[in-house]
Amino acid sequence: MLRYFLRFFLYLVLFTMVIGVVAALLPQGVGQILTAFPFLISMLLLLFRFLKQERRAPTQQERNRFSFIYVLIFFLYNYIFAVLGPLIFNLSLPNIFELWLQQAFDGQFQALLISRLLIFMIPFYLIVFWFYGPQAKRMAEKMFSSTK
């Protein structure tokens, strides 16, 4: 199981970078829509990998675990980089640590960041839960019905 979560994190980082470049070239409103794509692409690639390796759909326990941990990885990944990003990308400023500490511990900033991430987390949990359930069963039947 751990290898799926590590691979999910690596895919998430990779696709965030790729889609970030694409989003930078598009108008701001269109670029913001692409925020969900790294998560969805990573989740689907790992579902196909799971189906091919295990030759079955995930069990109910695996489905719950995948749903919760994928969303948790997404939340922590985005939270950490949203908090540390301004520090990392502005190290040349003379008083960046003071400015960063003010921003990082600002309650309003934290509330806004967490609320925006929760807006993504709830639908993402439901999407993974559905894809790794009924959809995975249909996919497994189509992929492996002729081999049995």
Side-chain angles (χ1 to χ4, degrees), residues 45-61:
L45 286 175
L46 287 169
L47 176 57
F48 280 112
R49 185 173 197 78
F50 181 89
L51 291 172
K52 287 180 181 177
Q53 287 182 344
E54 304 294 327
R55 303 186 64 78
R56 62 174 175 81
T59 65
Q60 185 69 25
Q61 183 181 6

Side-chain angles (χ1 to χ4, degrees), residues 11-22:
Y11 285 166
L12 193 60
V13 170
L14 174 73
F15 290 120
T16 299
M17 288 184 215
V18 170
I19 291 177
V21 170
V22 172

Side-chain angles (χ1 to χ4, degrees), residues 74-121:
F74 178 79
F75 177 85
L76 292 174
Y77 166 78
N78 281 286
Y79 181 82
I80 289 168
F81 285 106
V83 171
L84 292 179
L87 176 66
I88 294 168
F89 293 108
N90 294 303
L91 284 174
S92 61
L93 294 175
N95 59 346
I96 186 61
F97 289 106
E98 295 167 16
L99 294 172
W100 177 75
L101 285 174
Q102 286 177 342
Q103 178 199 345
F105 294 109
D106 180 36
Q108 193 174 11
F109 169 73
Q110 292 293 327
L112 181 66
L113 177 60
I114 291 171
S115 65
R116 285 192 172 181
L117 289 174
L118 285 175
I119 288 170
F120 280 105
M121 288 178 63

Side-chain angles (χ1 to χ4, degrees), residues 29-45:
V30 177
Q32 290 176 347
I33 294 171
L34 297 178
T35 304
F37 280 75
F39 181 90
L40 297 173
I41 294 168
S42 302
M43 181 263 307
L44 288 172
L45 286 175

